[in-house]
Amino acid sequence: MLDRIPNDWADALGDRLSAADLDTVERFVEAERAAAAGSPDDDVYPPEGSVYRALELTPFDSVRAVVLGQDPYHEPGQAEGLAFSVHNGRWPPSLANIVRELRSDLGLAMPASGSLEPWARHGVLLLNTVLTVRRGSANSHSGHGWEPLTTAIVDTVAARERPVAFLLWGKPAQARGAAIDRDRHVVVESAHPSPLSAYRGFLGSRPFSRANDGLMERGAAPIDWSL
């Protein structure tokens, strides 16, 4: 599975990760997909070719911000390999709240779709801490080996000298960002955008303008958050 990671990311990760580190999760996901073959009620998301899409769309050298999610959407037709993003269909509630806050914070127009791909191409790494999930079962693939990889990715980005904005929504994301140098980088923390917590600190938190303000204070250019 390590050979599926884009070369620039594999080089950047270096000795933080080895093929052996991914052996457990590779065998687990292969078994999950094999069990789901021919059974649409037990799919694994996102599709195999989209698992590393966040890394493919946002090369290591272009990362200017990190949005850290939990695991992929677990309903059909939603997960596409980018945290919080969907290409088609109904927007999940978390995404709807993110767009609501984006418009309130920056005054941007309502996007035509729920795809956050423009952010990825603007240097925003849309990374989930777990990269696969079983249909209808949130967190079903947590604790099976993805976390060492995604922790290594966050640590590798945080080790850079150039300022990066880390948007950490919810306690799990904040726990993973606890060791980030907050003098060098911008760390914006708030509640998670899910319906269970959005009204307890996400809505009104202005994460996008705060990220840009912090970057500019450190001499870096602001991010284009338009969709």
Side-chain angles (χ1 to χ4, degrees), residues 47-177:
E48 188 170 3
S50 297
V51 171
Y52 294 110
R53 191 158 176 258
L55 303 182
E56 293 165 356
L57 291 182
T58 311
F60 175 71
D61 285 340
S62 74
V63 175
R64 303 176 59 224
V66 178
V67 172
L68 193 59
Q70 183 170 278
D71 64 341
Y73 294 128
H74 55 265
E75 297 301 327
Q78 293 183 334
E80 57 167 354
L82 302 176
F84 296 108
S85 179
V86 296
H87 260 309
N88 302 301
R90 181 179 61 86
W91 295 6
S94 292
L95 175 59
N97 284 330
I98 289 168
V99 172
R100 176 180 176 182
E101 181 60 21
L102 176 68
R103 297 181 69 205
S104 172
D105 186 7
L106 300 180
L108 297 176
M110 175 68 75
S113 80
S115 174
L116 302 182
E117 183 173 328
W119 287 2
R121 297 192 182 278
H122 295 163
V124 180
L125 180 64
L126 297 166
L127 182 69
N128 282 313
T129 56
V130 173
L131 300 187
T132 55
V133 69
R134 188 184 310 123
R135 175 176 177 167
S137 183
N139 287 323
S140 52
H141 286 189
S142 65
H144 289 281
W146 281 123
E147 290 86 351
L149 169 62
T150 54
T151 296
I153 291 170
V154 172
D155 290 348
T156 299
V157 173
R160 297 193 331 186
E161 290 297 322
R162 189 172 70 193
V164 174
F166 291 85
L167 280 67
L168 307 179
W169 296 335
K171 291 182 179 179
Q174 291 162 19
R176 292 191 178 276

